[in-house]
Amino acid sequence: MVSPARKVNIVKKRTKPFIRVQSDRFKRVPTSWRRPRGIDSRTRRRFKGTRPQPKIGFGSNKNTRFLLPNGFRKFTVHNLAELESLVMLNRTYAAEIGHNIGAKKRIELVKRANELNINVINADARVRSVEN
């Protein structure tokens, strides 16, 4: 199994999700974040004591942005040509087989990735252990 070129500690500035204004008050308002746009909204005007809003300061470190916990970056692959473009970058990028790829082609891609020593994130997806 190939290992990443360098393993760095991933530090997230914020792991808790940002919660939508008044989602705790009404069942009809879901918790997923939406920007407050009201003209009198205290949250939009960033008054003290209101909930935090997403801003540029919460961004991740540029070195560790988009890094997976295993130390690789993700690259979606749909065919053998795309897989073979990762040969020189197999210590930086891990292949992820696209969701719309069938089982037959997946087996072919995983087999070739093992030959090229490329890490495949979803290698066991849609592969039956016993054929019918």
Side-chain angles (χ1 to χ4, degrees):
M1 196 65 177
V2 66
S3 60
R6 56 194 195 103
K7 188 85 167 90
V8 258
N9 234 17
I10 301 169
V11 178
K12 302 283 186 192
K13 286 188 189 168
R14 183 184 171 92
T15 53
K16 284 199 305 189
F18 291 99
I19 298 172
R20 186 175 178 176
V21 185
Q22 292 192 340
S23 65
D24 53 341
R25 286 201 176 175
F26 306 106
K27 265 189 175 172
R28 65 178 178 264
V29 180
T31 55
S32 59
W33 175 255
R34 296 292 181 275
R35 180 166 166 67
R37 292 200 160 85
I39 56 170
D40 295 327
S41 172
R42 294 175 2 203
T43 309
R44 181 188 59 79
R45 297 196 286 170
R46 300 216 166 107
F47 280 17
K48 230 192 293 186
T50 57
R51 52 183 80 235
Q53 296 183 58
K55 47 188 166 210
I56 200 70
F58 288 112
S60 298
N61 184 346
K62 199 183 280 188
N63 300 328
T64 60
R65 193 177 300 152
F66 309 120
L67 264 191
L68 298 170
N70 62 4
F72 288 101
R73 282 183 161 75
K74 216 185 325 192
F75 183 79
T76 309
V77 167
H78 299 95
N79 55 44
L80 285 172
E82 288 179 2
L83 184 71
E84 289 177 9
S85 68
L86 293 179
V87 172
M88 298 297 287
L89 300 167
N90 67 341
R91 304 265 325 264
T92 311
Y93 288 93
E96 180 189 43
I97 301 173
H99 76 98
N100 53 351
I101 305 300
K104 192 163 95 176
K105 199 168 171 188
R106 271 175 195 270
I107 294 166
E108 193 181 307
L109 284 169
V110 171
K111 187 178 160 194
R112 183 69 180 136
N114 287 337
E115 292 170 11
L116 297 173
N117 202 18
I118 295 172
N119 189 12
V120 181
I121 297 167
N122 55 351
D124 53 351
R126 257 190 242 187
V127 180
R128 290 213 182 105
S129 55
V130 180
E131 286 296 319
N132 293 345

